[in-house]
Amino acid sequence: MIKHILVLGAGSAGLIAGISLKRKIPNITVHIVRSPEIGVIGVGEGTTPHFPAHLFDYLGISRRHFYTHAAPTWKLGVRFLWGPRGSFDFTFQPQLDSQWSDLPMANGFYCDGEFRDASLPSSLMHHGKAFARQPDGSPDLQPFHALHIENKSLVETLESVARDIGIEFTDGKVASAERGPGGIAAVVLEDRSRIEADFFIDASGFRSELLGKALEESFVSFDRSLFCDRAVVGGWERTVEPILPYTIAETMDSGWAWQIEHEHHINRGYVYASQSISDDQAADEFLRKNPKAPKSPRVVKFRSGCHRRHWVENVVAIGNAGGFVEPLEATALMVVCSHAKNFVEMLLQSSCSPTPTMRDLYNENTFAAWEDIRDFLALHYRLNTAKDTPFWRHCREDTDISSLAPLLKFYAENGPTGLCRYRLPKPTSAFTVEGFLVMLVGNRIPYDFKHSPTAAELKIWQAHRASLDATARNGIGVRETLAYIRHPAWQWHDERTMPVPRTR
Ligand SMILES: Cc1cc2nc3c(=O)[nH]c(=O)nc-3n(C[C@H](O)[C@H](O)[C@H](O)COP(=O)(O)OP(=O)(O)OC[C@H]3O[C@@H](n4cnc5c(N)ncnc54)[C@H](O)[C@@H]3O)c2cc1C
């Protein structure tokens, strides 16, 4: 029976895993060991809606506490500067896999020409607004958003929550791990102190100290589908720029660049393939586009892929220690939350004595989740025709999307119908069929079946778009929404139920 869990690492993965365990299973002890000398990765600032849902709805962290200390802004989706349209938006509420009751076809069939105003978030993004306005003028904070959060504030805020609920912290560098009959018996710190536990969460980032190094679990590379392996990162303090309610993903010569919007800071990063461009060339291209960025942007190296199994003996790896897929859809924190939740639920369902078949199921699910992200991102690369550089020609010709063949064949015959969901490589894809349709329609991939709307249909379609556009035009921007939620009279809807309980 698992009673004492040691979490190695206090980046966002270790902290989310630790909080999830302690919050849901208060009887176990959770002890986090981390090395201030190694520090945290310091990038990872865009999320998906799964992240606020995990923090607020699943873990019950107080929104007021989180918004006060982590100071996030709202992200309604990603604006892709991509493909033959030059630009299209991927929002977190269906645009294409959705149908008005007074129209005969799904929205996707009306978006060949214009790709906008098919959902409220799409219209809000167009107008640079975060939320619709309520009759009293305040923002209507619908859950169709994710967050932008600076990594440092996120980690600090999570640490304060972790300490509040009774998680113990030790600062020290783990030098080795002692093996025992059931896996790892203890970790040994550089000062030679030993810390024992029944179970270990490896959240040591790319170092993967326990799963990768001590247990030598094999790593599966995704380098046939995803060629990028580095990023130059650098942002600047905001002056006159408006706070956009979305991330931008912009096509670059040898990869793509993100723009993430914080209240006082704009964060930019260029993700590229080191086989196509040197670090210096990438920095030059990045600085030409972003003259306000620091002259020597930081280089971050990574590899896309994951360990074959995330749970081996008495170790589960969460976060970069288990796997990482490049940040085009900002999915890492989503994966951390989902893996932490799955593990917690398995402990709960087994009274903390998980069975080998549970462990096998966990391993199947975690591996499938990484493959899902790999497949979705690979499609982004394969379809993008925005630039005709050697890197992008290589992506269009060589990106391995073999797992998507049934979907692409079905789409080519039938177009953007929701029935495409039955041809997804993973029917439970985190991106749902909507994500794949956005990539296909957004990149104007041709299909045979054509719906020719009547004049009456088009009139109805345009009326729906105009209505959403009017709501969004009257919407409320990020800065004004921040002022609302910081006003002493603001009431979060969780306020009466949500204090994080102290267990000691
Ligand atoms: C270029 C880039 C952009 C990214 N963008 C996004 C994004 O937009 N959205 C998103 O969700 N994710 C993004 N990510 C991923 C994201 O940064 C991470 O997945 C997330 O922050 C979790 O990191 P982590 O906690 O696994 O690792 P880390 O932050 O690296 O933390 C590792 C922890 O382990 C400790 N540690 C390591 N070794 C030892 C040791 N021997 N002894 C003691 N302690 C040790 C460290 O001190 C630290 O506390 C991005 C990643 C990269 C590379």
Side-chain angles (χ1 to χ4, degrees), residues 284-350:
D284 283 349
E285 189 189 345
F286 180 68
L287 290 170
R288 278 198 305 280
K289 276 247 173 231
N290 302 286
K292 289 185 173 179
K295 293 298 159 239
S296 305
R298 173 183 168 208
V299 177
V300 182
K301 298 181 184 174
F302 57 82
R303 57 178 180 173
S304 285
C306 66
H307 287 98
R308 169 66 63 190
R309 296 171 302 171
H310 286 52
W311 183 343
V312 178
E313 302 188 74
N314 65 342
V315 173
V316 160
I318 291 192
N320 295 348
F324 175 73
V325 171
E326 67 126 283
L328 184 49
E329 286 285 355
T331 43
L333 291 169
M334 166 185 97
V335 175
V336 164
C337 294
S338 131
H339 291 183
K341 183 177 176 185
N342 287 346
F343 180 59
V344 165
E345 292 301 318
M346 285 191 171
L347 292 192
L348 286 171
Q349 302 269 329
S350 64

Side-chain angles (χ1 to χ4, degrees), residues 110-222:
Y110 302 94
C111 291
D112 282 350
E114 181 57 84
F115 195 105
R116 211 183 76 210
D117 298 324
S119 70
L120 179 60
S122 156
S123 306
L124 289 166
M125 277 177 70
H126 175 68
H127 287 287
K129 301 288 174 69
F131 298 103
R133 199 178 285 275
Q134 304 205 76
D136 66 0
S138 66
D140 184 11
L141 262 68
Q142 290 294 323
F144 52 53
H145 66 80
L147 300 172
H148 288 142
I149 323 170
E150 294 193 60
N151 187 265
K152 186 167 177 289
S153 339
L154 172 63
V155 168
E156 285 168 4
T157 307
L158 291 174
E159 182 173 336
S160 76
V161 172
R163 287 185 187 276
D164 263 4
I165 60 173
I167 293 177
E168 190 186 335
F169 281 75
T170 296
D171 284 348
K173 190 166 168 187
V174 168
S176 60
E178 262 177 34
R179 297 294 300 261
I184 304 287
V187 292
V188 182
L189 273 54
E190 274 188 341
D191 66 5
R192 302 213 177 144
S193 55
R194 279 174 88 250
I195 308 178
E196 292 181 2
D198 312 320
F199 205 92
F200 294 80
I201 302 291
D202 185 355
S204 61
F206 290 137
R207 301 166 73 98
S208 195
E209 297 280 3
L210 303 180
L211 185 75
K213 283 190 196 150
L215 298 177
E216 299 181 336
E217 178 61 13
S218 61
F219 187 84
V220 180
S221 171
F222 292 162

Side-chain angles (χ1 to χ4, degrees), residues 277-453:
I277 190 172
S278 71
D279 295 345
D280 287 346
Q281 288 168 321
D284 283 349
E285 189 189 345
F286 180 68
L287 290 170
R288 278 198 305 280
K289 276 247 173 231
N290 302 286
K292 289 185 173 179
K295 293 298 159 239
S296 305
R298 173 183 168 208
V299 177
V300 182
K301 298 181 184 174
F302 57 82
R303 57 178 180 173
S304 285
C306 66
H307 287 98
R308 169 66 63 190
R309 296 171 302 171
H310 286 52
W311 183 343
V312 178
E313 302 188 74
N314 65 342
V315 173
V316 160
I318 291 192
N320 295 348
F324 175 73
V325 171
E326 67 126 283
L328 184 49
E329 286 285 355
T331 43
L333 291 169
M334 166 185 97
V335 175
V336 164
C337 294
S338 131
H339 291 183
K341 183 177 176 185
N342 287 346
F343 180 59
V344 165
E345 292 301 318
M346 285 191 171
L347 292 192
L348 286 171
Q349 302 269 329
S350 64
S351 302
C352 290
S353 300
T355 57
T357 45
M358 264 192 186
R359 184 196 57 209
D360 295 346
L361 179 63
Y362 183 87
N363 282 330
E364 273 171 41
N365 288 348
T366 46
F367 191 73
W370 287 119
E371 285 186 316
D372 176 36
I373 300 171
R374 176 203 62 195
D375 293 345
F376 188 46
L377 298 200
L379 190 64
H380 293 51
Y381 280 99
R382 181 78 183 215
L383 302 185
N384 187 7
T385 52
K387 278 192 185 266
D388 196 27
T389 59
F391 170 80
W392 283 106
R393 282 198 292 277
H394 176 42
C395 290
R396 288 193 288 273
E397 284 157 22
D398 301 326
T399 301
D400 180 1
I401 52 164
S402 43
S403 57
L404 293 161
L407 170 70
L408 296 179
K409 183 169 178 226
F410 191 83
Y411 179 85
E413 283 186 2
N414 304 292
T417 154
L419 292 172
C420 287
R421 62 176 34 82
Y422 301 109
R423 291 288 178 254
L424 293 178
K426 304 273 186 282
T428 54
S429 168
F431 308 100
T432 71
V433 70
E434 172 71 20
F436 291 84
L437 292 182
V438 166
M439 276 304 128
L440 292 162
V441 177
N443 284 291
R444 288 216 161 106
I445 301 307
Y447 53 90
D448 296 339
F449 172 78
K450 279 285 164 227
H451 173 65
S452 303

Side-chain angles (χ1 to χ4, degrees), residues 3 31 37 42 57-58 68 80 103 118 124 131 166 179 199 280-281 321 352 374 400 420 450 455 458 465 483 495 500:
K3 292 185 180 149
H31 185 172
E37 182 195 327
D57 303 334
Y58 182 66
T68 303
F80 281 96
L103 283 172
L124 289 166
F131 298 103
R179 297 294 300 261
F199 205 92
D280 287 346
Q281 288 168 321
C352 290
R374 176 203 62 195
D400 180 1
C420 287
K450 279 285 164 227
L458 277 181
R465 291 185 66 216
E495 305 247 87
V500 176

